[in-house]
Amino acid sequence: MSDLKQKLMNRYFLLVVSVVIFQQATAQTDSIIFKNGNFIVGEIKDLDKGVFTIETDYSDDDFKIKWNDVKEIYTDTYFLITLSDGRRYNGKLSTISPGRDLIIATSNEEVEIEHESLVFLKAVEGGFWSKFHASVDLGFSYTKANNLRQLSFASNIGYVAEKWSIDFSSNSVNSTQDEVEPIKRTDMIVTYRYFLPNDWFAFGDISLLSNTEQKLDLRTNGKGGLGKYIVHTNSKYWAVYTGLSFNNEKFSTES
């Protein structure tokens, strides 16, 4: 009777382990095979400047992988994909010829590309909110010698679509100390890009700055025009710009 009970316990244990392994395997949807034959399974977050970032269940930190070391890639994650000729797609990615050719599967077509033409990936999951990115930093410092207190705040929010992107960032620093007037510096910038065929893009940005130390109530600067990537690979981006700019400054009248 004890032998039968032990066998049942062993089978139950194997069943539990199998379920756990299956759950982990299904949670990790993307796989990368290296040129040396090793492989990694996880969730690819992005590819930028020739380096993959991939998250796995068995590590607390994300892995960084060079694109040049990758032989094959197979994904179930939905990506925003940028190619060296400026084309942009939303879809999945898989290898059809190891080390040479890839295929992008979008919702309505399949596009065959060369291995080296892949420049940028960003996981977007096909949903509206997944295309947002945001960060907030808050800091405080104190120096006893002159009773200096400084509070800093920085934020960034952006959205990346298939044909355009927009970013907003804001930074603020407030400091006070003995026998010195309080200082407050605030700046904000909004940047917009619309991506055109053949690696051309339209851009526009506007920035605002105020600084009590410089008696600057408000500086407004805006730019807009056209640009083109002259080098656009998975290791470097070089672009040239042309356009118009304006600048307006208002200073405090106080002495």
Side-chain angles (χ1 to χ4, degrees), residues 7-254:
K7 289 181 180 179
L8 291 174
M9 289 296 294
N10 289 340
R11 290 181 180 179
Y12 176 76
F13 175 75
L14 290 174
L15 177 62
V16 172
V17 171
S18 300
V19 170
V20 171
I21 292 175
F22 175 76
Q23 289 177 340
Q24 289 181 343
T26 55
Q28 297 175 320
T29 56
D30 306 321
S31 58
I32 292 175
I33 301 175
F34 299 97
K35 292 180 179 178
N36 62 4
N38 294 334
F39 68 92
I40 187 170
V41 178
E43 183 179 351
I44 296 173
K45 292 184 175 180
D46 58 47
L47 166 68
D48 191 21
K49 295 182 175 62
V51 178
F52 274 112
T53 301
I54 183 169
E55 179 184 11
T56 65
D57 287 344
Y58 47 81
S59 176
D60 294 333
D61 299 323
D62 295 337
F63 287 94
K64 301 292 184 180
I65 300 169
K66 292 183 179 180
W67 177 230
N68 289 337
D69 294 334
V70 174
K71 182 181 179 182
E72 299 177 51
I73 179 172
Y74 304 94
T75 75
D76 284 331
T77 303
Y78 205 69
F79 295 102
L80 170 64
I81 301 170
T82 303
L83 306 181
S84 58
D85 59 6
R87 287 180 293 166
R88 297 165 70 85
Y89 297 96
N90 283 340
K92 301 176 182 180
L93 192 68
S94 60
T95 296
I96 55 175
S97 177
R100 299 187 63 182
D101 297 320
L102 306 166
I103 192 165
I104 301 171
T106 70
S107 59
N108 53 16
E109 65 176 332
E110 291 187 348
V111 181
E112 188 174 330
I113 65 172
E114 294 181 353
H115 185 90
E116 294 301 321
S117 67
L118 184 64
V119 170
F120 177 81
L121 284 180
K122 179 177 174 60
V124 293
E125 301 298 335
F128 177 80
W129 291 107
S130 66
K131 298 177 183 179
F132 273 99
H133 61 270
S135 64
V136 175
D137 293 303
L138 183 66
F140 178 78
S141 63
Y142 174 74
T143 304
K144 186 176 181 181
N146 54 1
N147 199 27
L148 172 62
R149 298 178 298 275
Q150 186 174 80
L151 177 66
S152 62
F153 174 81
S155 64
N156 175 268
I157 185 170
Y159 184 84
V160 180
E162 183 175 348
K163 295 296 184 181
W164 58 274
S165 68
I166 189 168
D167 284 278
F168 170 80
S169 62
S170 175
N171 299 278
S172 178
V173 177
N174 294 269
S175 62
T176 60
Q177 60 179 312
D178 295 340
E179 301 178 357
V180 176
E181 291 186 3
I183 297 173
K184 182 177 181 180
R185 184 186 188 280
T186 303
D187 68 86
M188 293 181 290
I189 183 170
V190 179
T191 303
Y192 176 82
R193 284 193 178 189
Y194 187 84
F195 301 99
L196 301 167
N198 300 319
D199 255 358
W200 286 89
F201 57 88
F203 70 92
D205 67 60
I206 185 168
S207 61
L208 306 174
L209 171 66
S210 66
N211 191 331
T212 59
E213 188 177 23
Q214 298 176 335
K215 303 298 183 183
L216 179 63
D217 288 343
L218 181 64
R219 173 186 294 155
T220 305
N221 180 265
K223 296 187 291 290
L226 287 173
K228 179 176 175 57
Y229 286 103
I230 56 175
V231 177
H232 201 187
T233 69
N234 52 38
S235 60
K236 55 177 130 357
Y237 315 145
W238 290 355
V240 293
Y241 305 80
T242 184
L244 299 175
S245 175
F246 74 91
N247 188 76
N248 183 65
E249 296 179 344
K250 181 182 179 182
F251 291 89
S252 173
T253 57
E254 298 179 2

